[in-house]
Amino acid sequence: MSNLNEKVGHTEEAPVKESSIENKVAGDAPALDAAPEKKKREYKEMEHETHGDLHAKVDMNTIQFTATDLYDKDKVDIEHVVMEEVFQLLQCDEGGLTEAEATERIGIFGPNKLEEKKENVLLQFLSFMWNPLSWVMEGAAIVAIALSNGGGDPPDWQDFVGIILLLLINSTIGFVEERNAGNAVKALMDSLAPKAKVKRDGKWRDIESADLVPGDCIAFKHGDICPADCRLTEAIDVSMDQAALTGESLPVSKKLGDECFSGSTCKQGEVEATVISTGPNTFFGRAATLVGQDNDQTGHLQMVLARIGSFCLVSIGIFVLLEILILYPRFHYSYRRGLNSILVLLIGGIPIAMPTVLSVTLAVGAQQLAKHKAIVTRITAIEELAGVTILCSDKTGTLTTNKLTIDKENVKCYSKWDVEGVCLLAAYASRTENQDAIDGCVVGTLPDPASARSGIELLDFKPFNPVDKRTEITYRDNMDGGKLKRATKGMTGIIIEICSRNKTSELEDQLEADVEEFARRGLRALAVAYEDVTGDAHDGQGNGFELVGLLSIFDPPRSDTKQTIDDAMALGVKVKMVTGDQLAIAKETGRRLGLGDHMYPAKVIKDGPEAGGKHANLDEMIMDADGFAGVFPEHKFEIVKRIQALGHLCAMTGDGANDAPALSRANVGIAVEGATDAARGAADIVLTEPGLSTIVHAIYGSRVIFQRMRNYAIYACAVTIRIVVCFAIMSFIWQFDFPSFMVLIIAVLNDGTIMTLSLDRVLPSTTPDSWDLAEVFAYGIGYGLYLSASTIALFAIMHSTNFFENKFSVEAIKETNDPRGHMVIYLQVAIISQALIFVTRSHGPSWTERPSIALMLAFCLAQLISSIIAAFGNWGFTQVHSISGGWIGIVWVWNIVWYFPLDAVKFAMKKTIIAALQRRKAKKAAVASVDSNGERLQRTASRHESLYSNRTSFLSRAANRLKGGAKISMSQNELQRFSSIQAQQSGAALTRAHSRPAA
């Protein structure tokens, strides 16, 4: 929070860190007969941190006139050194620069704007074809078109075209999404003031802010945006709003020599200043530089895809090698025949449409989240949100309203007036027009702001000034016989100084204790006094001011924030506050929200925990802390980075430009409603409704989407195993040559059906999700081997016995590579492979969890098409021939018989292999949670949690909310617009060059 001291005066100067520095307000009591001299009172209040006049840390003559030296804080802190040294360092004076000097400095320091990196478009597109999944697809395409040209047969154009089209579609989707990246830097650039008033060659003129250089003399006034970091050389009652940069709730008062940050807004006064830094060297520029920095790691979902692709690649590679080593030497396959068998494994083993299926699943999920006012700008963030374990939230404007309020519950009354009376007197002593933040919040406490002037006649009003540090009104009270009265409000030390009526040592002791209590809790104190005026003149003598009350000012939490935090914790997500505001204020907000008050100042992020303290290292402190205060963009960025390094997926919420670096670094950056363009550009999810309640819906929705993706991943791995194992074994035993084109048909029909998983009904997890790939692969292998057995058994009975002919009177199929036999195997594989999805999508027996109508209809349509192909598909080029209705019926009955034991396979694996994998995972987690002293890390309980937090019912409240009890309306036009956007971006960057880092 910013300083209230010089700001419309209403609170008094106070100490810096948690109000630990005392501000002594001297003054003797009014002269009374035989009265002893009063002791000096010490009112410990909040104050904005100041650094005082500093000097360079090294010899000034050793500092070169370069950006490297001038902005090296180990040599000199140009933001805080005395102004004489600033002019010496920048080689200028208050008169500014000449045009020639400015031109020269542009070459030294660069323009006052942020640079945008440009990439080669072709290389960017080609980069999306360089990953394990693409390698397998490209390998299959090469085999189909180049290596298959032999034995008198033409190349396999059908397979080649199908594979290439799928590869190009996936690459194009990723490329388009990547081209839409860079919004964060663009928004930060647009936030810079476009014009600046500068003195060049002794004359004032307007120039592009990009042309400013260090040493320029600039001027700006109320309503202007500061175009560069500068030091004030002239300042008239200046107040700067830098909430979007530092997170401070109030405008900050500035005086001669103070620094102003680029991008902050002048809320009061007029300024002349000397530019000290421009472009990437400004406070704002450093934040922009952090956006996307150190973010070149593989994205979380892309990492998962790469591992699944590697699993498929290894599986295919093993059996391709076995076919080469067995089919050619043992069975003397011709070159082309062997390649056709290998091509079956390559095409069938590749989860060809996995990126597209997952993209559609994510895009449909993004449209569903849009209905809850959560607009997804990077749809792969949905998958990561499902696994988020820690939510780092900014305070100002996110957890709180960013609107000052009088806390009526903490109003102290010292006279006959009650709370409402004290607030009314304070409102009398406030402006009702052209209000500053303090007057606005005081008048806002009244049920009707008009009552601040109703019933009275304003005779005289003295606004705040830096000398008196209080406001005062003289008025006629028409409701009290027209008597003249006077009220004042302002800094505690000043108000008690002017009070003379009913002023006792006990009263002063009580006031001092109340002010100190407010300071400890991060509340600002505003004293109110009153006197009656004798005579009928507005400047007449009064009977002496009497202290009537003390108001506490704070930035209140949003009404739904505490419930949202409880709901997030019910979903297994820990919430930490990370704010630029002061420590005492952060602790008070944390106590009110039930977060706790284990919060630390930002300096610990650089210095680490105190030696001998309870935390062995900074990582332990970060995990134990409820939050951090006084942080800058660099600190937020470092906190998120360290949390990720500890193996957590981290989400970050924020609304200001100061949050942009951490929003970009986080696995999921969430810009709240009303966020700046910079924050929205850096975020992955943008909320369009105030508060954080939408996050609960987004987390719940993301876990639904995650379950759909996990179901598909298991299915894809199972199909890979069943294809490569089944057809390899059939080749080894019977030299069975299945047509590769029919494998492609199976893949297309399967993936068309699986697309509807994006609308499937699933049960989300109540804890953060994570990709346990060992579990996914185990299920895939188990299901794949079982399905392989079903196909091998069918072919063995058909080929080696007369069972089907005798029982069902169908034609015999005895030749190994009879085209009708190929069709029988095609139909069996197509049907039961798709039926597997009903097993992978369910937790219990597959028939007890109803699928979505879309999935069921798609499955039935695919089976109808497969059956029609089997009945009428006389395709000579693929070596298949239609089969009779009897064989089609046999295949259907065979698959139904083999389908029901699939649930038994699932339950058996859960009890054995999966249980063993989970025990091993739990053991590793237990080892990882032990600190350097061999003790298990535990969060320290807050001493205030029993007073401020009630956790007994939040589980049931969260459950009720997640069942859909709270619905959020959205206009049809808005919904269509966002749905259109998401449809266009349906294949989000699954292979991004600058995607979010993996945990």
Side-chain angles (χ1 to χ4, degrees), residues 2-11 250 404 438 524 553:
S2 72
N3 183 12
L4 290 183
N5 307 336
E6 299 286 337
K7 171 75 188 110
V8 195
H10 306 67
T11 63
L250 281 177
L404 293 181
I438 301 298
R524 308 302 176 116
I553 303 175

Side-chain angles (χ1 to χ4, degrees), residues 73 245-246 261 283 579-580 602 630-637 658:
K73 292 199 173 184
L245 295 172
T246 64
F261 296 128
F283 181 93
T579 177
V631 300
F632 285 152
E634 295 90 341
H635 301 135
K636 293 185 179 183
F637 187 87
N658 62 313

Side-chain angles (χ1 to χ4, degrees), residues 562-881:
K562 188 177 188 302
Q563 179 64 53
T564 299
I565 291 174
D566 288 348
D567 292 345
M569 295 180 70
L571 291 171
V573 179
K574 296 181 181 179
V575 182
K576 296 181 183 292
M577 183 193 304
V578 182
T579 177
D581 224 331
Q582 297 186 37
L583 183 60
I585 299 171
K587 287 186 174 184
E588 175 66 12
T589 303
R591 289 192 288 262
R592 288 174 182 256
L593 292 174
L595 282 177
D597 61 356
H598 284 290
M599 301 191 185
Y600 302 94
K603 67 175 184 178
V604 302
I605 299 172
K606 179 180 180 181
D607 300 340
E610 295 181 359
K614 64 177 181 179
H615 301 116
N617 53 56
L618 180 57
D619 289 340
E620 287 184 22
M621 174 176 282
I622 289 176
M623 295 307 299
D624 179 69
D626 297 315
F628 293 88
V631 300
F632 285 152
E634 295 90 341
H635 301 135
K636 293 185 179 183
F637 187 87
E638 182 66 21
I639 290 171
V640 171
K641 186 176 178 180
R642 282 183 173 271
I643 289 175
Q644 291 172 332
L646 291 172
H648 294 272
L649 290 185
C650 180
M652 169 75 184
T653 70
D655 65 340
N658 62 313
D659 301 319
L663 289 175
S664 175
R665 171 70 199 191
N667 298 96
V668 183
I670 304 172
V672 299
E673 189 271 342
T676 62
D677 287 344
R680 288 198 297 267
D684 305 306
I685 298 176
V686 179
L687 306 185
T688 59
E689 185 176 75
L692 294 179
S693 60
T694 306
I695 291 180
V696 175
H697 294 284
I699 293 175
Y700 180 80
S702 68
R703 292 185 184 176
V704 169
I705 296 164
F706 181 91
Q707 288 299 317
R708 293 168 180 164
M709 293 192 296
R710 178 182 177 275
N711 296 342
Y712 173 73
I714 294 175
Y715 169 82
C717 292
V719 169
T720 293
I721 294 297
R722 78 99 68 245
I723 293 292
V724 298
V725 172
C726 172
F727 290 116
I729 291 177
M730 292 175 71
S731 295
F732 300 153
I733 298 176
W734 296 289
Q735 294 78 60
F736 182 76
D737 300 329
F738 191 72
S740 58
F741 185 79
M742 299 310 294
V743 174
L744 189 60
I745 295 295
I746 292 173
V748 171
L749 289 177
N750 284 356
D751 292 328
T753 301
I754 297 304
M755 290 285 183
T756 59
L757 273 180
S758 61
L759 300 172
D760 193 25
R761 298 160 51 95
V762 294
L763 297 175
S765 171
T766 57
T767 57
D769 287 308
S770 62
W771 283 101
D772 190 338
L773 292 180
E775 184 177 318
V776 170
F777 297 153
Y779 274 123
I781 293 172
Y783 293 141
L785 293 177
Y786 179 83
L787 295 182
S788 297
S790 73
T791 304
I792 293 171
L794 174 64
F795 185 81
I797 295 174
M798 179 181 69
H799 179 267
S800 304
T801 73
N802 295 319
F803 176 79
F804 295 126
E805 293 89 331
N806 296 334
K807 293 293 184 181
F808 304 103
S809 301
V810 293
E811 67 274 18
I813 303 176
K814 299 303 180 183
E815 292 185 15
T816 299
N817 288 303
D818 190 320
R820 293 173 301 170
H822 290 166
M823 188 65 85
V824 169
I825 296 303
Y826 156 77
L827 185 60
Q828 193 273 335
V829 172
I831 293 173
I832 200 165
S833 294
Q834 287 196 19
L836 175 64
I837 192 59
F838 297 110
V839 178
T840 63
R841 63 172 294 278
S842 59
H843 297 280
S846 57
W847 60 86
T848 62
E849 297 181 22
R850 181 168 64 88
S852 66
I853 295 177
L855 177 59
M856 199 65 203
L857 289 177
F859 172 78
C860 293
L861 178 61
Q863 302 321 307
L864 177 61
I865 294 174
S866 295
S867 298
I868 291 174
I869 291 175
F872 302 101
N874 295 320
W875 300 338
F877 70 91
T878 62
Q879 298 178 353
V880 294
H881 192 279

Side-chain angles (χ1 to χ4, degrees), residues 961-981:
R961 174 167 295 196
L962 297 182
K963 289 176 182 176
K967 293 187 177 180
I968 302 174
S969 61
M970 189 173 192
S971 72
Q972 189 63 28
N973 290 338
E974 186 180 9
L975 178 58
Q976 289 177 354
R977 179 166 66 88
F978 286 125
S979 296
S980 174
I981 292 172

Side-chain angles (χ1 to χ4, degrees), residues 213-274:
V213 295
D216 264 330
C217 178
I218 60 174
F220 53 88
K221 60 184 184 302
H222 172 73
D224 293 341
I225 297 177
C226 181
D229 283 7
C230 57
R231 297 283 296 274
L232 304 188
T233 55
E234 289 189 20
I236 303 174
D237 196 16
V238 177
S239 178
M240 301 296 295
D241 181 0
Q242 53 192 43
L245 295 172
T246 64
E248 294 170 295
S249 307
L250 281 177
V252 181
S253 297
K254 299 292 184 179
K255 59 184 184 296
L256 289 179
D258 283 351
E259 79 279 9
C260 284
F261 296 128
S262 170
S264 59
T265 304
C266 182
K267 305 298 287 187
Q268 181 177 313
E270 296 182 4
V271 166
E272 285 189 18
T274 297

